[in-house]
Amino acid sequence: VWAMALALNGSLETLQEKNMSLTNYTYGQSSATEVIQDHLYQLEFHGASGLISFNEQTGFVYRKPVYSWEVPAVEDSFKIVTLKVAIGLAVVVILVIVVTSVLVAFVHILNTVYENYKSIKASSSR
């Protein structure tokens, strides 16, 4: 399919030079078919199984093996850096107080909003 798409695409310009187009193509137009075949026979590309090309004598596709080469391993470009940052005791105490206050406020708001639910009433001290 890929080869036919490449051959059809490559033959567009040649067909236009001969006042032909693919939109009006019929199987009876041997001159247009020859133009497409000529472009097919000129193709050579790397497919999934190797180098793909077409032989004018047999018309069959033949595949040549793709030669592989070794690529040197790339060294890891990441570097782990450890930074030691000193945080004062006052900052830690303030953070603990703020986080605790937010959690207590959140639990209180949830209890107030959902106090009429049966499961919340069962756990309430009131």
Side-chain angles (χ1 to χ4, degrees):
V1 173
W2 182 250
M4 279 308 299
L6 290 173
L8 289 171
N9 190 43
S11 65
L12 289 175
E13 190 174 313
T14 309
L15 288 172
Q16 285 177 349
E17 290 171 1
K18 296 183 177 191
N19 293 325
M20 294 185 275
S21 79
L22 291 175
T23 55
N24 301 330
Y25 177 76
T26 61
Y27 291 108
Q29 291 177 312
S30 61
S31 58
T33 303
E34 287 174 9
V35 169
I36 296 169
Q37 279 182 337
D38 289 341
H39 282 277
L40 183 65
Y41 295 144
Q42 294 171 10
L43 283 179
E44 185 175 284
F45 61 93
H46 288 278
S49 59
L51 186 63
I52 308 293
S53 60
F54 295 85
N55 187 327
E56 192 171 348
Q57 287 77 30
T58 62
F60 292 108
V61 178
Y62 67 95
R63 296 174 174 92
K64 299 175 189 173
V66 176
Y67 298 103
S68 62
W69 57 91
E70 289 187 28
V71 178
V74 178
E75 290 186 25
D76 193 4
S77 62
F78 293 102
K79 190 176 191 179
I80 297 174
V81 177
T82 305
L83 296 176
K84 292 184 180 181
V85 179
I87 299 177
L89 182 61
V91 175
V92 173
V93 170
I94 291 172
L95 286 174
V96 168
I97 291 171
V98 169
V99 169
T100 305
S101 301
V102 169
L103 286 174
V104 168
F106 182 70
V107 169
H108 179 70
I109 291 170
L110 285 178
N111 271 337
T112 305
V113 170
Y114 295 107
E115 69 182 349
N116 293 329
Y117 284 85
K118 188 177 184 178
S119 60
I120 299 294
K121 276 188 174 184
S123 66
S124 176
S125 61
R126 292 189 227 171

